[in-house]
Amino acid sequence: MLKHGQVVFTRNQTEGRGQWGRVWVSPPGVLTFSVVLQIPGSIPPGLTLAAGLGIIYALEELCDLFPGILGLKWPNDIY
């Protein structure tokens, strides 16, 4: 069992489950990861959107390679 704050990542995902149980995969070379957050109660509205935007802002701040090219696919996929 994964614990709060742990991250699981892969460069190629062959089986995935998205919103509403939809199946999805990521091709080789794409970084795919999940972060475990144990939040008491229900998830606050907009939390996944805020997390995705926070990662984009951090990457743009830390790396000059990404200015203006990163985007967000609802609710939290960064491309």
Side-chain angles (χ1 to χ4, degrees):
M1 176 90 180
L2 297 172
K3 296 179 182 174
H4 177 79
Q6 290 184 306
V7 179
V8 177
F9 71 94
T10 181
R11 291 186 177 112
N12 180 25
Q13 184 162 343
T14 58
E15 294 182 36
R17 185 181 51 161
Q19 285 187 315
W20 302 290
R22 293 181 182 157
V23 175
W24 59 273
V25 299
S26 66
V30 174
L31 176 62
T32 305
F33 68 92
S34 296
V35 179
V36 178
L37 296 176
Q38 295 174 338
I39 300 171
S42 62
I43 296 174
L47 178 63
T48 58
L49 176 62
L53 287 173
I55 291 170
I56 288 174
Y57 295 154
L59 287 172
E60 288 178 338
E61 184 73 24
L62 293 171
C63 185
D64 292 336
L65 299 174
F66 302 119
I69 65 168
L70 295 177
L72 188 67
K73 178 183 169 217
W74 179 262
N76 61 355
D77 292 345
I78 299 164
Y79 62 91

